[in-house]
Amino acid sequence: GKVRAPTHIVSTISDDRGEEPCYAGVPMSSIIEKGLGVGDVISLLWFKRSLPRYCTQFIEICIMLCADHGPCVSGAHNTIVTARAGKDLVSSLVSGLLTIGPRFGGAIDDAARYFKDAHDRGLTPYEFVEGMKKKGIRVAGIGHRIKNRDNKDKRVDLLQKFARTHFPSVKYMEYAVQVETYTLTKANNLVLNVDGAIGSLFLDLLACSGMFTKQEIDEIVGIGYLNGLFVLARSIGLIGHTFDQKRLKQPLYRHPWEDVLYTK
Ligand code: ACO
Ligand code: LMR
């Protein structure tokens, strides 16, 4: 019989060997002919399956809402400084992307992990938040530099409204909202932020769409797919900031001395 030489790479998401590329077995022509969108492409390449319209729409809303948040946030600031140092598009983009992490934009996976664990173990928001405090861990998905109880994040509201209308269940989101209600009793800016809203709602999508097994959900949350949504989304804005700085022919950035506390 034939002997199959062992391969150096195993790949399961796409195939370019035929007449046209296939994403998770779906030919490109079918994606285009059916008028599918970027949410469908993400479903195929990340989750290896077609998801119902409300799920792909939710993914697209996450991408649109997180595409940019002005020039002052960590990512855009780095990208702007890099572009002004005369660097190319890719350098400017990755310079911004490298700021995405536990404090900025990259708290979605941890929010999903902690909210899921606390919800599934039946912890009250008090038990959950105080337990985290004891461990010295900030609650991922809670807190914001400029948003607060009286100036809530509109993006969170938009995600919640969409999910309440289209999702079969929003139990994880409701839990995150209860956590927010408790954290707001501690400080005004401990609101549910956009990372927390996406993390909790993606749990609802995974758990209630009927499209994923329990084992698959654990794998997705364990590996941490969800920060990918912010990385992908914010790349749109960071690329925009790079073009903006080049278009404006902005000179090399130097931070003003007056804005530094020089001290011993
Ligand atoms: N959980 C518990 N306590 C918190 C949290 C939190 N998530 N955030 C702030 N606090 C409390 C802590 O007591 C903190 O004191 P500490 O420094 O001793 O831990 C105190 O509030 C001071 O916090 P602030 O100065 O108000 O917070 P800051 O403005 O520095 O941080 C930030 C804002 C980074 C978003 C913070 O709230 C945080 O780390 N949140 C968790 C991570 C997260 O969700 N990041 C995503 C933000 S949304 C986005 O980037 C798109
Ligand atoms: C963002 O989306 O970049 C923000 O929520 C962070 C910020 O500080 O505005």
Side-chain angles (χ1 to χ4, degrees):
K2 280 184 189 167
V3 179
R4 182 78 170 90
T7 61
H8 292 95
I9 289 181
V10 182
S11 171
T12 67
I13 62 166
S14 59
D15 192 338
D16 61 317
R17 290 169 302 173
E19 264 188 351
E20 55 177 326
C22 289
Y23 293 167
V26 181
M28 187 51 60
S29 50
S30 149
I31 293 173
I32 302 302
E33 278 156 21
K34 285 188 189 149
L36 301 184
V38 76
D40 298 279
V41 169
I42 291 170
S43 307
L44 292 170
L45 290 177
W46 294 11
F47 301 105
K48 296 184 20 173
R49 72 205 66 193
S50 298
L51 291 174
R53 180 68 190 129
Y54 77 88
C55 297
T56 60
Q57 215 181 334
F58 177 73
I59 292 172
E60 285 169 9
I61 291 172
C62 292
I63 302 292
M64 290 189 284
L65 289 178
C66 294
D68 199 41
H69 209 237
C72 301
V73 305
S74 311
H77 183 84
N78 258 23
T79 288
I80 288 170
V81 171
T82 309
R84 289 181 56 169
K87 300 292 299 254
D88 59 289
L89 171 64
V90 176
S91 306
S92 305
L93 169 63
V94 298
S95 161
L97 288 178
L98 287 173
T99 64
I100 297 176
R103 292 184 184 167
F104 168 66
I108 309 180
D109 284 311
D110 270 348
R113 286 182 192 121
Y114 285 118
F115 285 143
K116 182 172 189 310
D117 179 68
H119 171 278
D120 294 356
R121 285 199 291 133
L123 297 187
T124 63
Y126 171 85
E127 288 167 336
F128 169 49
V129 174
E130 295 306 325
M132 295 288 275
K133 193 173 172 192
K134 266 191 204 131
K135 287 185 227 152
I137 307 171
R138 286 188 176 193
V139 182
I142 293 286
H144 202 276
R145 289 310 287 259
I146 58 163
K147 298 291 170 190
N148 57 53
R149 185 203 312 271
D150 309 310
N151 170 32
K152 285 246 195 127
D153 193 330
K154 185 73 187 167
R155 297 170 297 177
V156 171
D157 183 49
L158 290 166
L159 287 165
Q160 292 176 330
K161 277 205 179 105
F162 178 85
R164 284 207 168 98
T165 312
H166 298 281
F167 281 25
S169 156
V170 287
K171 63 178 182 178
Y172 287 108
M173 183 200 86
E174 297 294 7
Y175 184 72
V177 170
Q178 285 172 31
V179 169
E180 176 192 45
T181 304
Y182 177 66
T183 53
L184 280 175
T185 64
K186 295 165 81 76
N188 225 11
N189 72 328
L190 293 185
V191 289
L192 181 66
N193 61 42
V194 73
D195 282 12
I198 294 176
S200 56
L201 280 168
F202 226 97
L203 288 175
D204 285 318
L205 185 157
L206 293 169
C208 303
S209 61
M211 300 298 295
F212 298 89
T213 65
K214 203 185 152 312
Q215 200 188 346
E216 285 173 332
I217 297 171
D218 288 342
E219 188 180 50
I220 289 166
V221 174
I223 290 176
Y225 286 31
L226 306 179
N227 287 343
L229 290 167
F230 193 90
V231 172
L232 180 63
R234 194 50 61 94
S235 294
I236 300 172
L238 298 179
I239 291 171
H241 283 291
T242 307
F243 296 156
D244 195 36
Q245 296 305 307
K246 304 272 182 203
R247 194 166 46 223
L248 294 167
K249 298 194 175 21
Q250 288 297 285
L252 179 66
Y253 179 81
R254 196 174 199 282
H255 201 74
W257 278 318
E258 316 80 85
D259 191 39
V260 175
L261 172 65
Y262 289 92
T263 180
K264 290 212 166 111

